[in-house]
Coordinates of all heavy atoms in Angstrom, one line a residue:
M1208 N 121.0 62.4 54.9 CA 120.8 63.0 53.6 C 119.5 62.5 53.0 O 119.3 61.3 52.9 CB 122.0 62.7 52.8 CG 122.0 63.3 51.4 SD 123.6 63.0 50.7 CE 123.2 63.3 49.0
S1209 N 118.7 63.4 52.6 CA 117.4 63.0 51.9 C 117.6 63.0 50.4 O 118.5 63.5 49.9 CB 116.3 64.0 52.3 OG 116.5 65.2 51.8
M1210 N 116.6 62.3 49.8 CA 116.6 62.1 48.4 C 115.3 62.5 47.8 O 114.3 62.1 48.4 CB 117.0 60.6 48.1 CG 117.1 60.3 46.6 SD 117.4 58.5 46.3 CE 119.1 58.4 47.0
T1211 N 115.2 63.2 46.7 CA 114.0 63.5 46.1 C 113.4 62.3 45.3 O 114.2 61.4 45.0 CB 114.1 64.7 45.1 OG1 114.9 64.2 44.0 CG2 114.8 65.9 45.7
P1212 N 112.1 62.3 45.1 CA 111.6 61.2 44.3 C 112.3 61.0 42.9 O 112.5 59.9 42.5 CB 110.1 61.5 44.2 CG 109.8 62.4 45.3 CD 111.1 63.2 45.6
Q1213 N 112.6 62.1 42.3 CA 113.2 62.1 41.0 C 114.6 61.5 41.1 O 115.0 60.7 40.2 CB 113.3 63.5 40.4 CG 112.0 64.1 40.0 CD 111.3 64.7 41.2 OE1 111.8 64.8 42.3 NE2 110.0 65.1 41.0
E1214 N 115.4 61.8 42.2 CA 116.7 61.2 42.4 C 116.6 59.7 42.6 O 117.4 58.9 42.1 CB 117.4 61.9 43.5 CG 117.8 63.3 43.2 CD 118.3 64.1 44.5 OE1 117.8 63.7 45.6 OE2 119.1 65.0 44.3
F1215 N 115.6 59.3 43.4 CA 115.3 57.9 43.7 C 115.1 57.1 42.4 O 115.6 56.0 42.1 CB 114.2 57.7 44.7 CG 113.9 56.2 44.9 CD1 114.7 55.5 45.8 CD2 112.8 55.6 44.4 CE1 114.4 54.2 46.0 CE2 112.5 54.3 44.6 CZ 113.3 53.6 45.4
V1216 N 114.2 57.6 41.5 CA 113.8 57.0 40.3 C 115.1 56.9 39.4 O 115.3 55.9 38.8 CB 112.7 57.7 39.6 CG1 112.5 57.2 38.1 CG2 111.4 57.6 40.3
A1217 N 115.9 58.0 39.3 CA 117.1 57.9 38.5 C 118.1 56.9 39.0 O 118.7 56.2 38.2 CB 117.7 59.3 38.5
L1218 N 118.2 56.8 40.3 CA 119.1 55.8 40.9 C 118.6 54.4 40.6 O 119.4 53.5 40.2 CB 119.2 56.0 42.4 CG 120.1 55.0 43.2 CD1 121.5 55.2 42.7 CD2 119.9 55.2 44.7
M1219 N 117.3 54.1 40.7 CA 116.8 52.8 40.4 C 116.9 52.4 39.0 O 117.1 51.3 38.6 CB 115.3 52.7 40.8 CG 115.0 52.7 42.3 SD 115.5 51.2 43.1 CE 116.9 51.7 44.0
S1220 N 116.8 53.4 38.1 CA 116.9 53.1 36.6 C 118.4 52.8 36.2 O 118.6 52.2 35.2 CB 116.4 54.3 35.8 OG 117.2 55.4 36.0
Q1221 N 119.3 53.1 37.1 CA 120.7 52.9 36.8 C 121.2 51.5 37.2 O 122.2 51.0 36.9 CB 121.6 53.9 37.4 CG 121.5 55.3 36.8 CD 122.3 56.3 37.6 OE1 123.0 56.0 38.5 NE2 122.1 57.6 37.2
L1222 N 120.3 50.8 38.0 CA 120.7 49.5 38.5 C 120.9 48.5 37.4 O 120.1 48.5 36.4 CB 119.6 48.9 39.5 CG 119.5 49.7 40.8 CD1 118.4 49.1 41.6 CD2 120.8 49.6 41.6
N1223 N 121.9 47.7 37.4 CA 122.1 46.7 36.4 C 121.6 45.4 36.8 O 122.3 44.5 37.3 CB 123.7 46.6 36.1 CG 124.0 45.7 34.9 OD1 123.1 45.5 34.1 ND2 125.2 45.3 34.9
T1224 N 120.3 45.2 36.6 CA 119.6 44.0 37.0 C 118.8 43.4 35.8 O 118.4 44.2 34.9 CB 118.6 44.2 38.2 OG1 117.6 45.1 37.8 CG2 119.4 44.7 39.4
Q1225 N 118.5 42.2 35.8 CA 117.7 41.5 34.8 C 116.3 41.9 34.9 O 115.6 42.1 33.9 CB 117.8 40.0 34.9 CG 119.2 39.5 34.6 CD 119.5 39.4 33.1 OE1 118.6 39.5 32.3 NE2 120.7 39.3 32.7
E1226 N 115.8 42.1 36.2 CA 114.4 42.4 36.4 C 114.3 43.7 37.1 O 115.2 44.1 37.9 CB 113.7 41.3 37.2 CG 113.7 40.0 36.5 CD 113.0 38.9 37.3 OE1 111.9 39.3 37.9 OE2 113.4 37.8 37.2
K1227 N 113.2 44.4 36.9 CA 112.9 45.7 37.6 C 112.7 45.4 39.1 O 112.2 44.4 39.5 CB 111.7 46.3 37.1 CG 111.8 46.7 35.6 CD 110.6 47.5 35.2 CE 109.5 46.5 34.9 NZ 108.3 47.2 34.4
A1228 N 113.2 46.4 39.9 CA 113.0 46.3 41.4 C 111.6 46.5 41.8 O 111.1 46.0 42.8 CB 114.0 47.3 42.1
F1229 N 110.9 47.4 41.0 CA 109.5 47.8 41.3 C 108.7 47.7 40.1 O 109.1 47.9 39.0 CB 109.5 49.2 41.9 CG 110.2 49.4 43.2 CD1 111.5 49.9 43.2 CD2 109.7 49.0 44.4 CE1 112.2 50.1 44.3 CE2 110.4 49.2 45.6 CZ 111.7 49.7 45.5
S1230 N 107.4 47.5 40.3 CA 106.4 47.5 39.2 C 105.1 48.1 39.7 O 104.9 48.2 40.9 CB 106.1 46.1 38.7 OG 107.2 45.5 38.0
L1231 N 104.4 48.6 38.7 CA 103.1 49.2 39.0 C 102.0 48.3 38.5 O 102.2 47.6 37.4 CB 102.9 50.6 38.4 CG 103.9 51.7 39.0 CD1 103.8 52.9 38.1 CD2 103.5 52.0 40.4
G1232 N 100.8 48.3 39.1 CA 99.7 47.5 38.6 C 98.4 47.9 39.3 O 98.4 48.9 40.0
T1233 N 97.4 47.2 38.9 CA 96.0 47.5 39.5 C 95.5 46.2 40.0 O 95.5 45.1 39.3 CB 95.1 48.0 38.4 OG1 95.7 49.2 37.8 CG2 93.7 48.4 38.9
I1234 N 94.9 46.2 41.2 CA 94.2 45.0 41.8 C 93.1 44.7 40.9 O 92.3 45.5 40.4 CB 93.8 45.3 43.2 CG1 94.9 45.7 44.2 CG2 93.0 44.1 43.8 CD1 95.9 44.7 44.4
Q1235 N 92.9 43.4 40.7 CA 91.9 42.9 39.8 C 90.5 43.4 40.2 O 90.1 43.6 41.3 CB 91.8 41.4 39.8 CG 91.2 40.8 41.1 CD 91.3 39.3 41.2 OE1 92.4 38.8 41.5 NE2 90.2 38.6 41.0
S1236 N 89.7 43.7 39.1 CA 88.3 44.1 39.3 C 87.6 43.0 39.9 O 87.7 41.8 39.6 CB 87.8 44.5 37.9 OG 86.4 44.9 38.1
G1237 N 86.7 43.3 40.9 CA 85.9 42.3 41.6 C 86.6 41.6 42.7 O 86.0 40.7 43.4
Y1238 N 87.8 42.0 43.1 CA 88.5 41.4 44.2 C 87.8 41.7 45.5 O 87.2 42.8 45.7 CB 89.9 42.1 44.3 CG 90.6 41.7 45.6 CD1 91.2 40.5 45.8 CD2 90.6 42.6 46.7 CE1 91.8 40.2 47.1 CE2 91.2 42.3 47.9 CZ 91.8 41.1 48.1 OH 92.3 40.8 49.3
S1239 N 87.7 40.7 46.4 CA 87.0 40.8 47.6 C 87.7 40.4 48.9 O 87.6 40.9 49.9 CB 85.6 40.2 47.6 OG 85.7 38.8 47.4
S1240 N 88.6 39.3 48.7 CA 89.3 38.8 49.9 C 90.5 37.9 49.4 O 90.5 37.5 48.3 CB 88.4 38.1 50.8 OG 88.0 36.9 50.2
G1241 N 91.4 37.6 50.4 CA 92.5 36.8 50.1 C 93.6 37.5 49.4 O 93.7 38.8 49.5
R1242 N 94.6 36.8 48.8 CA 95.7 37.4 48.1 C 95.2 37.8 46.7 O 94.7 37.0 46.0 CB 96.9 36.5 48.1 CG 97.5 36.3 49.4 CD 98.8 35.5 49.4 NE 98.6 34.2 48.7 CZ 99.5 33.6 48.1 NH1 100.8 34.0 48.1 NH2 99.3 32.4 47.5
P1243 N 95.3 39.1 46.4 CA 94.8 39.6 45.1 C 95.7 39.2 43.9 O 96.9 39.0 44.0 CB 94.8 41.1 45.3 CG 95.8 41.4 46.2 CD 95.9 40.2 47.2
R1244 N 95.0 39.2 42.7 CA 95.7 39.1 41.5 C 95.9 40.5 41.0 O 95.1 41.4 41.4 CB 94.9 38.3 40.5 CG 94.8 36.8 40.8 CD 94.0 36.0 39.8 NE 94.1 34.6 40.0 CZ 93.4 33.9 40.9 NH1 92.5 34.5 41.6 NH2 93.6 32.6 41.0
V1245 N 96.9 40.7 40.1 CA 97.2 42.1 39.7 C 97.3 42.2 38.1 O 97.8 41.2 37.5 CB 98.6 42.5 40.3 CG1 99.1 43.8 39.7 CG2 98.6 42.5 41.8
L1246 N 96.8 43.2 37.6 CA 97.0 43.6 36.2 C 98.2 44.5 36.2 O 98.1 45.7 36.6 CB 95.8 44.3 35.6 CG 95.9 44.8 34.2 CD1 96.2 43.6 33.2 CD2 94.7 45.5 33.7
F1247 N 99.3 44.0 35.7 CA 100.6 44.8 35.7 C 100.5 45.8 34.5 O 99.9 45.6 33.5 CB 101.8 43.9 35.5 CG 102.1 43.2 36.7 CD1 101.6 41.9 36.9 CD2 103.0 43.7 37.7 CE1 101.9 41.2 38.1 CE2 103.3 43.0 38.8 CZ 102.8 41.7 39.0
D1248 N 101.0 47.0 34.8 CA 101.1 48.1 33.7 C 101.7 47.5 32.5 O 102.7 46.8 32.5 CB 101.9 49.3 34.2 CG 101.1 50.2 35.1 OD1 100.0 49.7 35.6 OD2 101.6 51.3 35.4
G1249 N 101.1 47.8 31.3 CA 101.7 47.3 30.0 C 101.2 45.9 29.6 O 101.5 45.5 28.6
E1250 N 100.4 45.3 30.5 CA 99.9 44.0 30.2 C 98.4 44.1 30.0 O 97.7 45.0 30.5 CB 100.3 42.9 31.3 CG 101.8 42.7 31.4 CD 102.1 41.6 32.4 OE1 101.2 41.0 32.9 OE2 103.4 41.5 32.6
S1251 N 97.8 43.1 29.3 CA 96.4 43.2 29.0 C 95.6 42.1 29.7 O 94.4 42.1 29.7 CB 96.1 43.0 27.5 OG 96.7 41.8 27.0
V1252 N 96.3 41.2 30.4 CA 95.6 40.1 31.1 C 96.1 40.1 32.6 O 97.3 40.3 32.9 CB 96.0 38.7 30.5 CG1 95.4 37.6 31.3 CG2 95.6 38.7 29.0
T1253 N 95.1 40.0 33.5 CA 95.4 39.9 34.9 C 96.2 38.7 35.2 O 96.0 37.6 34.6 CB 94.1 39.9 35.7 OG1 93.3 41.1 35.4 CG2 94.3 39.8 37.2
S1254 N 97.2 38.8 36.2 CA 98.0 37.7 36.5 C 97.2 36.5 37.0 O 96.2 36.6 37.6 CB 99.0 38.1 37.6 OG 98.3 38.4 38.8
S1255 N 97.7 35.3 36.8 CA 97.1 34.1 37.3 C 97.6 33.9 38.7 O 96.9 33.2 39.5 CB 97.4 32.9 36.4 OG 98.8 32.6 36.4
K1256 N 98.7 34.4 39.1 CA 99.3 34.3 40.4 C 98.7 35.3 41.3 O 98.4 36.4 41.0 CB 100.8 34.5 40.3 CG 101.5 34.3 41.6 CD 103.0 34.4 41.4 CE 103.7 34.1 42.7 NZ 105.2 34.2 42.6
Q1257 N 98.6 34.9 42.6 CA 98.1 35.8 43.6 C 99.3 36.3 44.4 O 100.2 35.6 44.6 CB 97.1 35.1 44.6 CG 95.9 34.6 43.9 CD 95.0 33.7 44.8 OE1 95.4 32.7 45.2 NE2 93.8 34.2 45.0
Y1258 N 99.2 37.6 44.8 CA 100.4 38.2 45.5 C 100.1 38.6 46.9 O 99.1 39.0 47.3 CB 100.8 39.4 44.7 CG 101.3 39.1 43.3 CD1 100.5 39.1 42.2 CD2 102.6 38.6 43.1 CE1 101.0 38.7 40.9 CE2 103.1 38.2 41.9 CZ 102.3 38.3 40.8 OH 102.7 37.9 39.6
S1259 N 101.2 38.4 47.7 CA 101.2 38.8 49.1 C 101.2 40.3 49.2 O 101.7 41.0 48.2 CB 102.4 38.2 49.9 OG 102.3 36.8 49.8
Y1260 N 100.8 40.8 50.3 CA 100.9 42.3 50.5 C 101.3 42.6 52.0 O 101.1 41.7 52.9 CB 99.5 42.9 50.2 CG 98.4 42.3 50.9 CD1 97.9 42.8 52.1 CD2 97.7 41.3 50.3 CE1 96.8 42.2 52.8 CE2 96.6 40.7 50.9 CZ 96.2 41.2 52.2 OH 95.1 40.6 52.8
L1261 N 101.8 43.8 52.2 CA 102.2 44.2 53.6 C 100.9 44.3 54.4 O 99.8 44.7 54.0 CB 102.9 45.5 53.5 CG 104.2 45.6 52.7 CD1 104.8 47.0 52.8 CD2 105.2 44.5 53.3
S1262 N 101.1 44.0 55.7 CA 99.9 44.0 56.6 C 99.3 45.4 56.8 O 98.2 45.6 57.2 CB 100.3 43.5 58.0 OG 101.3 44.3 58.6
S1263 N 100.1 46.5 56.5 CA 99.6 47.9 56.6 C 98.7 48.3 55.5 O 98.1 49.3 55.5 CB 100.8 48.8 56.7 OG 101.6 48.7 55.6
Y1264 N 98.6 47.4 54.5 CA 97.7 47.7 53.3 C 96.5 46.8 53.3 O 96.7 45.6 53.4 CB 98.6 47.5 52.0 CG 97.7 47.6 50.7 CD1 97.0 48.7 50.4 CD2 97.7 46.5 49.9 CE1 96.2 48.7 49.2 CE2 96.9 46.5 48.8 CZ 96.2 47.6 48.4 OH 95.4 47.6 47.3
A1265 N 95.4 47.3 53.0 CA 94.1 46.5 52.9 C 93.7 46.6 51.4 O 93.2 47.6 50.9 CB 93.0 47.1 53.7
P1266 N 94.0 45.5 50.6 CA 93.7 45.5 49.2 C 92.2 45.8 48.9 O 91.3 45.3 49.6 CB 94.1 44.2 48.7 CG 94.9 43.6 49.7 CD 94.5 44.2 51.0
A1267 N 92.0 46.5 47.8 CA 90.6 46.7 47.4 C 90.6 46.7 45.8 O 91.6 47.0 45.2 CB 90.1 48.1 47.8
S1268 N 89.5 46.2 45.3 CA 89.3 46.1 43.9 C 89.6 47.4 43.2 O 89.3 48.5 43.6 CB 87.8 45.8 43.6 OG 87.6 45.7 42.2
N1269 N 90.4 47.3 42.1 CA 90.8 48.5 41.3 C 91.8 49.4 41.9 O 92.1 50.5 41.3 CB 89.6 49.2 40.7 CG 88.7 48.3 39.8 OD1 89.3 47.6 39.0 ND2 87.5 48.3 40.1
D1270 N 92.4 49.1 43.1 CA 93.5 49.9 43.6 C 94.7 49.9 42.7 O 95.1 48.9 42.2 CB 93.9 49.4 45.0 CG 93.1 49.8 46.2 OD1 92.1 50.6 46.0 OD2 93.4 49.4 47.3
R1271 N 95.3 51.1 42.5 CA 96.5 51.2 41.8 C 97.6 51.0 42.9 O 97.6 51.6 43.9 CB 96.7 52.6 41.2 CG 97.9 52.8 40.4 CD 97.5 53.1 39.0 NE 98.7 53.7 38.3 CZ 99.5 52.9 37.6 NH1 99.2 51.6 37.5 NH2 100.5 53.4 37.0
V1272 N 98.5 50.0 42.6 CA 99.5 49.6 43.6 C 101.0 49.6 43.1 O 101.2 49.5 41.9 CB 99.2 48.2 44.2 CG1 97.9 48.2 45.0 CG2 99.1 47.1 43.1
L1273 N 101.9 49.7 44.1 CA 103.3 49.6 43.9 C 103.7 48.2 44.4 O 103.4 47.8 45.5 CB 104.1 50.7 44.6 CG 105.6 50.6 44.5 CD1 106.1 50.8 43.1 CD2 106.2 51.6 45.5
L1274 N 104.5 47.5 43.6 CA 104.9 46.1 43.9 C 106.5 46.1 43.9 O 107.1 46.7 43.1 CB 104.4 45.1 43.0 CG 102.9 45.0 42.8 CD1 102.4 45.7 41.6 CD2 102.5 43.5 42.7
A1275 N 107.0 45.4 44.9 CA 108.5 45.2 44.9 C 108.8 43.8 44.5 O 108.2 42.8 44.9 CB 109.0 45.4 46.3
N1276 N 109.9 43.7 43.6 CA 110.3 42.4 43.2 C 111.3 41.8 44.3 O 112.3 42.4 44.5 CB 111.1 42.5 41.9 CG 111.5 41.2 41.3 OD1 111.5 40.2 41.9 ND2 111.9 41.2 40.0
I1277 N 110.8 40.8 44.9 CA 111.6 40.2 46.0 C 111.7 38.7 45.8 O 110.7 38.0 45.7 CB 110.9 40.4 47.4 CG1 110.8 41.9 47.6 CG2 111.7 39.8 48.5 CD1 110.1 42.3 48.8
S1278 N 113.0 38.2 45.6 CA 113.3 36.8 45.4 C 112.4 36.1 44.3 O 111.9 35.0 44.5 CB 113.1 36.0 46.8 OG 113.9 36.5 47.7
G1279 N 112.3 36.8 43.2 CA 111.6 36.2 42.1 C 110.1 36.3 42.0 O 109.5 35.8 41.2
T1280 N 109.5 37.0 43.0 CA 108.1 37.2 43.0 C 107.9 38.7 43.4 O 108.8 39.4 43.7 CB 107.4 36.2 44.0 OG1 106.0 36.4 43.8 CG2 107.7 36.5 45.4
Y1281 N 106.6 39.1 43.5 CA 106.3 40.4 43.8 C 105.5 40.4 45.1 O 104.8 39.5 45.5 CB 105.4 41.1 42.8 CG 106.2 41.5 41.5 CD1 106.2 40.7 40.4 CD2 106.9 42.7 41.5 CE1 106.9 41.0 39.3 CE2 107.7 43.0 40.4 CZ 107.6 42.2 39.3 OH 108.4 42.5 38.1
V1282 N 105.8 41.5 45.9 CA 105.0 41.8 47.1 C 104.4 43.2 46.9 O 105.0 44.1 46.6 CB 105.9 41.8 48.4 CG1 105.1 42.2 49.6 CG2 106.5 40.4 48.6
I1283 N 103.1 43.3 47.2 CA 102.4 44.5 47.1 C 102.7 45.4 48.3 O 102.5 45.0 49.4 CB 100.9 44.3 47.0 CG1 100.5 43.4 45.8 CG2 100.1 45.7 46.9 CD1 99.1 43.0 45.8
L1284 N 103.3 46.6 48.0 CA 103.8 47.5 49.1 C 102.6 48.4 49.6 O 102.6 48.7 50.7 CB 104.9 48.3 48.6 CG 106.2 47.6 48.2 CD1 107.3 48.5 47.8 CD2 106.7 46.7 49.4
G1285 N 101.7 48.7 48.6 CA 100.6 49.6 49.0 C 100.0 50.3 47.9 O 100.4 50.2 46.7
K1286 N 98.9 51.0 48.2 CA 98.1 51.8 47.2 C 98.8 53.1 46.9 O 99.4 53.8 47.8 CB 96.7 52.1 47.8 CG 95.8 52.8 46.9 CD 94.5 53.0 47.6 CE 93.6 53.8 46.7 NZ 92.2 54.0 47.3
I1287 N 98.7 53.5 45.6 CA 99.2 54.8 45.2 C 98.0 55.7 45.1 O 97.0 55.4 44.5 CB 99.9 54.6 43.8 CG1 101.1 53.7 43.9 CG2 100.3 56.0 43.3 CD1 101.7 53.4 42.5
V1288 N 98.1 56.8 45.8 CA 97.0 57.8 45.8 C 97.4 59.0 45.1 O 98.5 59.4 44.9 CB 96.5 58.1 47.3 CG1 95.8 56.9 47.8 CG2 97.6 58.5 48.1

């Protein structure tokens, strides 16, 4: 059984959790290598923490990304195009 994106978002919004399962953000301007810092949506300052990413994604400066909240930290899942 498949699920539409709208059904997925509705399901995720119904979860009873303290923290969001997913977040959106932008890779820091000027990023060139290593684990990137992220400017999370709704925030005005880039994170001081650097975030891991999936091996299938190659981070680039100013990429808009989807992050998953896993065990109290975030992992960058990939670029949103």
Side-chain angles (χ1 to χ4, degrees):
M1208 180 172 163
S1209 64
M1210 181 181 293
T1211 68
Q1213 293 82 6
E1214 290 169 332
F1215 177 76
V1216 169
L1218 180 63
M1219 289 290 109
S1220 66
Q1221 292 174 7
L1222 293 177
N1223 187 17
T1224 60
Q1225 292 284 343
E1226 298 185 35
K1227 297 184 280 183
F1229 299 97
S1230 289
L1231 295 171
T1233 303
I1234 300 295
Q1235 73 187 75
S1236 180
Y1238 167 81
S1239 61
S1240 66
R1242 293 188 305 158
R1244 290 181 170 84
V1245 175
L1246 175 61
F1247 287 91
D1248 283 10
E1250 297 185 4
S1251 59
V1252 177
T1253 301
S1254 66
S1255 60
K1256 184 174 180 178
Q1257 296 173 299
Y1258 293 96
S1259 298
Y1260 53 90
L1261 297 181
S1262 63
S1263 59
Y1264 169 62
S1268 180
N1269 298 313
D1270 275 357
R1271 182 118 167 94
V1272 293
L1273 176 66
L1274 302 97
N1276 185 347
I1277 300 173
S1278 299
T1280 190
Y1281 285 98
V1282 174
I1283 301 169
L1284 300 180
K1286 180 180 178 178
I1287 299 173
V1288 291

